[in-house]
Amino acid sequence: MCGIVAYIGNKQAYPIIIEGLRRLEYRGYDSAGISLLNGDLHTYKKKGKVQDLENFAADKNKEGTMGIGHTRWATHGKPDDLNAHPHVSGDGNITLVHNGIIENYAQLKEALAELGHEFKSETDTEVLVHLIEEYQKRDNLTIEKAVQKALKKAVGAYAIVVFDKREPNKLIGARKSSPLVLGLGKDEFFLASDATPIIKFTNKVIYLNDEEIVNINRDGTYEVVTIDNELQSPVVQEIDLKIEELEKGGYDHFMLKEIHQQPQTILESMRGRINAEEGWVLVGGMQDHMKRLKEADRMIFAACGTSWHAALIGEYLFEDLARIPVEVEYASELRYRNPVIREKDVIVALSQSGETADTLAALEMAKKKGALLYGIVNNVGSSIARLTDCGSYIHAGPEIGVASTKAFTSQLVVLSLMAINLGKERGTISEGYYRQLLHAMEAIPAKVQKILEQDEKIKYIAGEIRNAQNALYLGRGYNFPIALEGALKLKEISYIHAEGYPAAEMKHGPIALIDMYMPVVVIATNQSAYEKVVSNIQEVKARKGIVIAIVLEGDKEIKKIADFTIEIPETEEPLSPLLSVIPLQLLSYHIAVMRGCNVDQPRNLAKSVTVE
Ligand code: AGP
């Protein structure tokens, strides 16, 4: 997935675009580039980060009040200067940036080459800008019409911004399956992959819909049309994002800031949805479809990565508390395996970004089969949020660190409240237990804060295992998905290979791996299977494994046998993942920092995978 920023107005475009690209680097950082128009077209692009682009452009002409910029996560063509965006047409007049994949680029490239077009890069994007050039020349079209015609020919996903150096007062944006936001400033316009590069200048935005094109004019006018030239009446929204939410706020990394924000973000996710004193929980997104939700004879949870781990906990919650059968699917598998999905089914999609291609595609498939779609999303106005029939925003605020932390716990809050709400509606939990769960939920933020205060101890433990080559995470029941999540966190930011397993499964294979070099993180907070987890720990110790145990405050038995223990407060078991994940987030963070890894932008990763 890539980041796009573009500007037309009365200010110098370069600083605006560069700062905007920095805010979007979490979307991809293989290479970066910018095109500026100041009488002539100047395009600078470089492998590496935005800083590398800035260094390269330091002594170049950076004047101009219109420009387009791009930070890349490579799909077609390796990360290098030639494959970096923007891409320029053969005649040097048109420049374009793109997020997405043009699936029929090979056929188009072949046809264009036969017409004499020569390509400098391996990218699908360069084909698109040559296609626009071809239509413009062959059919004597304006740049707007040439873009429209080319997009009708292109198959796949795109968010593009393009301009023709001979039209210094026109900037064109378009999207299909990849996000593009239009910012409406005072005598100036912005286009970006999300609102973060825009909010410093304006909070008035339009989220473009699929197959929509926005033709912007420097005189302050604009129009939104479809690729079939149907004039649209877009809705201007006012977003309440604040610029300081996008800064590190004194922390070394966004990930650390976001881990420490969790007492607050968990509270935000609950706000207006629960009152233990008065004894109610109310998840607004469910109310209009409560009958269909509570009578569902099956729910399918679809997600990817960390959101899939949240979905797995959702299964435990909904079956345990609301007695509704749940199936959890990797979205990328669900969309391709020709599943049985009926009109009665409810599909719950979890996605922090709301733009993950596989999750979006799975939802589109389910929608065609008539299922009810429910979205649990963080990114307001995102594609998944707008595709679903109903849903709940998790209100975790912008999550910049590529490794998801606060969004994960906020997803768990929403899932827990939904399960409690449905359990109450269906009468599958007693009034007493209902009240207990409400009070336990409201106590979570303070308990998270208490765990965060053990950061120094967790950092010490990180130092003891930072050179491990492999690690094993074990958990039971509600904490089995947390074992998976802890392992993913370690893998994706420290590059240590780690696997999560149900604790009881260890003896069915993984135990063969255990030796004195293997750290084994055991989540041992379950009251319901405590003795069994103690046995698992003894089995590891018998093979000289290094045991880091997450235990309840006051635990004595495990403290005697584990190498390291981290104590966390007790809570109702269905809510325990909200607490047991916190030490694992900090552990992976500190190990990654000690190993000199780029915590906020780990190699090969991107914050939201909007390509398949
Ligand atoms: C989480 O730490 C990962 N960066 C990744 O697995 C992520 O959860 C996954 O790509 C899904 O993203 P989404 O929640 O935005 O759909």
Side-chain angles (χ1 to χ4, degrees), residues 304-307 350-354 356 359 402-404 411 488-489 492 606-609:
C304 301
T306 284
S307 296
L350 289 95
S351 177
Q352 187 285 129
S353 62
T356 298
T359 308
V402 164
S404 187
Q411 287 171 334
L488 175 61
K489 287 281 109 28
E492 65 175 330
K607 182 60 183 169
S608 163
V609 184

PDB file of all heavy atoms in Angstrom, residues 304-307 350-354 356 359 402-404 411 488-489 492 606-609, ligand 1:
ATOM      1  N   CYS A 304      -7.827  -9.842   8.992  1.00  0.00           N
ATOM      2  CA  CYS A 304      -6.439 -10.222   8.672  1.00  0.00           C
ATOM      3  C   CYS A 304      -5.557  -9.848   9.855  1.00  0.00           C
ATOM      4  O   CYS A 304      -5.881  -8.937  10.604  1.00  0.00           O
ATOM      5  CB  CYS A 304      -5.943  -9.474   7.436  1.00  0.00           C
ATOM      6  SG  CYS A 304      -6.925  -9.780   5.968  1.00  0.00           S
ATOM      7  N   GLY A 305      -4.456 -10.539   9.984  1.00  0.00           N
ATOM      8  CA  GLY A 305      -3.407 -10.166  10.948  1.00  0.00           C
ATOM      9  C   GLY A 305      -3.911 -10.028  12.375  1.00  0.00           C
ATOM     10  O   GLY A 305      -4.659 -10.861  12.885  1.00  0.00           O
ATOM     11  N   THR A 306      -3.513  -8.940  12.989  1.00  0.00           N
ATOM     12  CA  THR A 306      -3.905  -8.684  14.376  1.00  0.00           C
ATOM     13  C   THR A 306      -5.407  -8.598  14.518  1.00  0.00           C
ATOM     14  O   THR A 306      -5.993  -9.073  15.491  1.00  0.00           O
ATOM     15  CB  THR A 306      -3.234  -7.400  14.875  1.00  0.00           C
ATOM     16  OG1 THR A 306      -1.863  -7.695  15.153  1.00  0.00           O
ATOM     17  CG2 THR A 306      -3.876  -6.850  16.118  1.00  0.00           C
ATOM     18  N   SER A 307      -6.064  -8.052  13.509  1.00  0.00           N
ATOM     19  CA  SER A 307      -7.535  -7.977  13.566  1.00  0.00           C
ATOM     20  C   SER A 307      -8.139  -9.367  13.553  1.00  0.00           C
ATOM     21  O   SER A 307      -9.211  -9.597  14.128  1.00  0.00           O
ATOM     22  CB  SER A 307      -8.060  -7.157  12.384  1.00  0.00           C
ATOM     23  OG  SER A 307      -7.603  -5.830  12.496  1.00  0.00           O
ATOM     24  N   LEU A 350     -13.480  -7.018  10.853  1.00  0.00           N
ATOM     25  CA  LEU A 350     -12.673  -6.182  11.751  1.00  0.00           C
ATOM     26  C   LEU A 350     -11.484  -5.650  10.971  1.00  0.00           C
ATOM     27  O   LEU A 350     -10.794  -6.406  10.276  1.00  0.00           O
ATOM     28  CB  LEU A 350     -12.170  -7.008  12.941  1.00  0.00           C
ATOM     29  CG  LEU A 350     -13.244  -7.414  13.949  1.00  0.00           C
ATOM     30  CD1 LEU A 350     -13.758  -8.804  13.629  1.00  0.00           C
ATOM     31  CD2 LEU A 350     -12.680  -7.394  15.359  1.00  0.00           C
ATOM     32  N   SER A 351     -11.293  -4.348  11.061  1.00  0.00           N
ATOM     33  CA  SER A 351     -10.169  -3.744  10.340  1.00  0.00           C
ATOM     34  C   SER A 351      -9.823  -2.385  10.938  1.00  0.00           C
ATOM     35  O   SER A 351     -10.677  -1.508  10.987  1.00  0.00           O
ATOM     36  CB  SER A 351     -10.523  -3.569   8.858  1.00  0.00           C
ATOM     37  OG  SER A 351      -9.467  -2.921   8.175  1.00  0.00           O
ATOM     38  N   GLN A 352      -8.602  -2.230  11.373  1.00  0.00           N
ATOM     39  CA  GLN A 352      -8.163  -0.931  11.896  1.00  0.00           C
ATOM     40  C   GLN A 352      -8.213   0.112  10.795  1.00  0.00           C
ATOM     41  O   GLN A 352      -8.863   1.132  10.960  1.00  0.00           O
ATOM     42  CB  GLN A 352      -6.732  -1.045  12.434  1.00  0.00           C
ATOM     43  CG  GLN A 352      -6.192   0.149  13.148  1.00  0.00           C
ATOM     44  CD  GLN A 352      -5.804   1.325  12.225  1.00  0.00           C
ATOM     45  OE1 GLN A 352      -6.226   2.444  12.467  1.00  0.00           O
ATOM     46  NE2 GLN A 352      -5.060   1.097  11.138  1.00  0.00           N
ATOM     47  N   SER A 353      -7.648  -0.184   9.651  1.00  0.00           N
ATOM     48  CA  SER A 353      -7.548   0.806   8.569  1.00  0.00           C
ATOM     49  C   SER A 353      -8.862   0.970   7.820  1.00  0.00           C
ATOM     50  O   SER A 353      -9.141   1.986   7.218  1.00  0.00           O
ATOM     51  CB  SER A 353      -6.475   0.362   7.577  1.00  0.00           C
ATOM     52  OG  SER A 353      -6.874  -0.892   7.005  1.00  0.00           O
ATOM     53  N   GLY A 354      -9.642  -0.131   7.794  1.00  0.00           N
ATOM     54  CA  GLY A 354     -10.863  -0.087   6.995  1.00  0.00           C
ATOM     55  C   GLY A 354     -10.582  -0.124   5.509  1.00  0.00           C
ATOM     56  O   GLY A 354     -11.463   0.123   4.694  1.00  0.00           O
ATOM     57  N   THR A 356      -8.142  -2.725   4.183  1.00  0.00           N
ATOM     58  CA  THR A 356      -7.440  -3.964   3.834  1.00  0.00           C
ATOM     59  C   THR A 356      -8.149  -4.659   2.680  1.00  0.00           C
ATOM     60  O   THR A 356      -9.338  -4.987   2.782  1.00  0.00           O
ATOM     61  CB  THR A 356      -7.345  -4.874   5.063  1.00  0.00           C
ATOM     62  OG1 THR A 356      -6.592  -4.188   6.053  1.00  0.00           O
ATOM     63  CG2 THR A 356      -6.689  -6.205   4.738  1.00  0.00           C
ATOM     64  N   THR A 359     -10.010  -8.049   3.188  1.00  0.00           N
ATOM     65  CA  THR A 359     -11.212  -7.925   4.035  1.00  0.00           C
ATOM     66  C   THR A 359     -12.332  -7.239   3.248  1.00  0.00           C
ATOM     67  O   THR A 359     -13.491  -7.663   3.280  1.00  0.00           O
ATOM     68  CB  THR A 359     -10.873  -7.134   5.312  1.00  0.00           C
ATOM     69  OG1 THR A 359      -9.710  -7.720   5.936  1.00  0.00           O
ATOM     70  CG2 THR A 359     -12.027  -7.140   6.301  1.00  0.00           C
ATOM     71  N   VAL A 402       3.143   0.710  12.667  1.00  0.00           N
ATOM     72  CA  VAL A 402       2.667  -0.384  11.800  1.00  0.00           C
ATOM     73  C   VAL A 402       2.148  -1.547  12.641  1.00  0.00           C
ATOM     74  O   VAL A 402       1.154  -2.180  12.315  1.00  0.00           O
ATOM     75  CB  VAL A 402       3.795  -0.842  10.860  1.00  0.00           C
ATOM     76  CG1 VAL A 402       3.481  -2.188  10.238  1.00  0.00           C
ATOM     77  CG2 VAL A 402       4.038   0.193   9.775  1.00  0.00           C
ATOM     78  N   ALA A 403       2.787  -1.821  13.754  1.00  0.00           N
ATOM     79  CA  ALA A 403       2.325  -2.908  14.630  1.00  0.00           C
ATOM     80  C   ALA A 403       1.121  -2.404  15.419  1.00  0.00           C
ATOM     81  O   ALA A 403       1.199  -1.434  16.157  1.00  0.00           O
ATOM     82  CB  ALA A 403       3.436  -3.338  15.575  1.00  0.00           C
ATOM     83  N   SER A 404       0.005  -3.076  15.255  1.00  0.00           N
ATOM     84  CA  SER A 404      -1.233  -2.613  15.877  1.00  0.00           C
ATOM     85  C   SER A 404      -1.264  -2.951  17.369  1.00  0.00           C
ATOM     86  O   SER A 404      -1.016  -4.086  17.764  1.00  0.00           O
ATOM     87  CB  SER A 404      -2.421  -3.269  15.179  1.00  0.00           C
ATOM     88  OG  SER A 404      -3.625  -2.729  15.654  1.00  0.00           O
ATOM     89  N   GLN A 411     -10.610  -2.898  19.591  1.00  0.00           N
ATOM     90  CA  GLN A 411     -11.451  -3.899  18.925  1.00  0.00           C
ATOM     91  C   GLN A 411     -12.020  -4.869  19.960  1.00  0.00           C
ATOM     92  O   GLN A 411     -13.204  -5.227  19.922  1.00  0.00           O
ATOM     93  CB  GLN A 411     -10.621  -4.677  17.887  1.00  0.00           C
ATOM     94  CG  GLN A 411     -10.278  -3.899  16.635  1.00  0.00           C
ATOM     95  CD  GLN A 411      -9.281  -4.622  15.740  1.00  0.00           C
ATOM     96  OE1 GLN A 411      -8.472  -5.446  16.214  1.00  0.00           O
ATOM     97  NE2 GLN A 411      -9.300  -4.320  14.450  1.00  0.00           N
ATOM     98  N   LEU A 488       2.964 -12.599  16.943  1.00  0.00           N
ATOM     99  CA  LEU A 488       2.973 -11.722  15.758  1.00  0.00           C
ATOM    100  C   LEU A 488       3.683 -10.414  16.065  1.00  0.00           C
ATOM    101  O   LEU A 488       4.506  -9.934  15.286  1.00  0.00           O
ATOM    102  CB  LEU A 488       1.548 -11.439  15.284  1.00  0.00           C
ATOM    103  CG  LEU A 488       1.430 -10.445  14.128  1.00  0.00           C
ATOM    104  CD1 LEU A 488       2.144 -10.948  12.887  1.00  0.00           C
ATOM    105  CD2 LEU A 488      -0.033 -10.140  13.805  1.00  0.00           C
ATOM    106  N   LYS A 489       3.401  -9.827  17.203  1.00  0.00           N
ATOM    107  CA  LYS A 489       4.070  -8.577  17.601  1.00  0.00           C
ATOM    108  C   LYS A 489       5.584  -8.751  17.577  1.00  0.00           C
ATOM    109  O   LYS A 489       6.311  -7.948  17.031  1.00  0.00           O
ATOM    110  CB  LYS A 489       3.613  -8.160  19.007  1.00  0.00           C
ATOM    111  CG  LYS A 489       2.213  -7.619  19.052  1.00  0.00           C
ATOM    112  CD  LYS A 489       2.116  -6.186  18.596  1.00  0.00           C
ATOM    113  CE  LYS A 489       1.471  -5.855  17.311  1.00  0.00           C
ATOM    114  NZ  LYS A 489       0.479  -6.546  16.659  1.00  0.00           N
ATOM    115  N   GLU A 492       6.930  -9.268  13.877  1.00  0.00           N
ATOM    116  CA  GLU A 492       6.840  -8.194  12.878  1.00  0.00           C
ATOM    117  C   GLU A 492       7.708  -6.993  13.220  1.00  0.00           C
ATOM    118  O   GLU A 492       8.001  -6.195  12.328  1.00  0.00           O
ATOM    119  CB  GLU A 492       5.391  -7.772  12.659  1.00  0.00           C
ATOM    120  CG  GLU A 492       4.711  -7.134  13.841  1.00  0.00           C
ATOM    121  CD  GLU A 492       3.308  -6.647  13.472  1.00  0.00           C
ATOM    122  OE1 GLU A 492       3.056  -6.279  12.325  1.00  0.00           O
ATOM    123  OE2 GLU A 492       2.445  -6.652  14.369  1.00  0.00           O
ATOM    124  N   ALA A 606       3.623  -2.759   5.809  1.00  0.00           N
ATOM    125  CA  ALA A 606       2.934  -1.474   5.641  1.00  0.00           C
ATOM    126  C   ALA A 606       1.768  -1.478   6.611  1.00  0.00           C
ATOM    127  O   ALA A 606       1.313  -2.530   7.038  1.00  0.00           O
ATOM    128  CB  ALA A 606       2.422  -1.326   4.214  1.00  0.00           C
ATOM    129  N   LYS A 607       1.286  -0.301   6.944  1.00  0.00           N
ATOM    130  CA  LYS A 607       0.252  -0.212   7.972  1.00  0.00           C
ATOM    131  C   LYS A 607      -1.050  -0.822   7.500  1.00  0.00           C
ATOM    132  O   LYS A 607      -1.770  -1.427   8.266  1.00  0.00           O
ATOM    133  CB  LYS A 607       0.023   1.245   8.369  1.00  0.00           C
ATOM    134  CG  LYS A 607      -0.992   1.435   9.468  1.00  0.00           C
ATOM    135  CD  LYS A 607      -0.593   0.719  10.733  1.00  0.00           C
ATOM    136  CE  LYS A 607      -1.640   0.837  11.814  1.00  0.00           C
ATOM    137  NZ  LYS A 607      -1.371  -0.071  12.970  1.00  0.00           N
ATOM    138  N   SER A 608      -1.365  -0.626   6.259  1.00  0.00           N
ATOM    139  CA  SER A 608      -2.619  -1.203   5.778  1.00  0.00           C
ATOM    140  C   SER A 608      -2.349  -1.800   4.405  1.00  0.00           C
ATOM    141  O   SER A 608      -1.839  -1.128   3.524  1.00  0.00           O
ATOM    142  CB  SER A 608      -3.685  -0.115   5.683  1.00  0.00           C
ATOM    143  OG  SER A 608      -4.741  -0.570   4.868  1.00  0.00           O
ATOM    144  N   VAL A 609      -2.716  -3.056   4.265  1.00  0.00           N
ATOM    145  CA  VAL A 609      -2.390  -3.779   3.029  1.00  0.00           C
ATOM    146  C   VAL A 609      -3.564  -3.652   2.061  1.00  0.00           C
ATOM    147  O   VAL A 609      -4.493  -4.439   2.072  1.00  0.00           O
ATOM    148  CB  VAL A 609      -2.094  -5.262   3.341  1.00  0.00           C
ATOM    149  CG1 VAL A 609      -1.659  -5.980   2.072  1.00  0.00           C
ATOM    150  CG2 VAL A 609      -1.010  -5.365   4.408  1.00  0.00           C
TER     151      VAL A 609
HETATM  152  C1  AGP B   1      -0.741  -5.822  12.951  1.00  0.00           C
HETATM  153  O1  AGP B   1       0.274  -5.580  13.908  1.00  0.00           O
HETATM  154  C2  AGP B   1      -0.215  -5.922  11.581  1.00  0.00           C
HETATM  155  N1  AGP B   1       0.435  -4.720  11.205  1.00  0.00           N
HETATM  156  C3  AGP B   1      -1.184  -6.418  10.546  1.00  0.00           C
HETATM  157  O2  AGP B   1      -1.319  -7.797  10.779  1.00  0.00           O
HETATM  158  C4  AGP B   1      -2.613  -5.824  10.537  1.00  0.00           C
HETATM  159  O3  AGP B   1      -3.307  -6.203  11.699  1.00  0.00           O
HETATM  160  C5  AGP B   1      -3.366  -6.409   9.331  1.00  0.00           C
HETATM  161  O4  AGP B   1      -2.704  -5.991   8.149  1.00  0.00           O
HETATM  162  C6  AGP B   1      -4.838  -6.003   9.268  1.00  0.00           C
HETATM  163  O5  AGP B   1      -4.925  -4.609   9.119  1.00  0.00           O
HETATM  164  P1  AGP B   1      -6.372  -3.910   9.352  1.00  0.00           P
HETATM  165  O6  AGP B   1      -6.732  -4.149  10.777  1.00  0.00           O
HETATM  166  O7  AGP B   1      -6.143  -2.481   9.025  1.00  0.00           O
HETATM  167  O8  AGP B   1      -7.344  -4.577   8.410  1.00  0.00           O
END
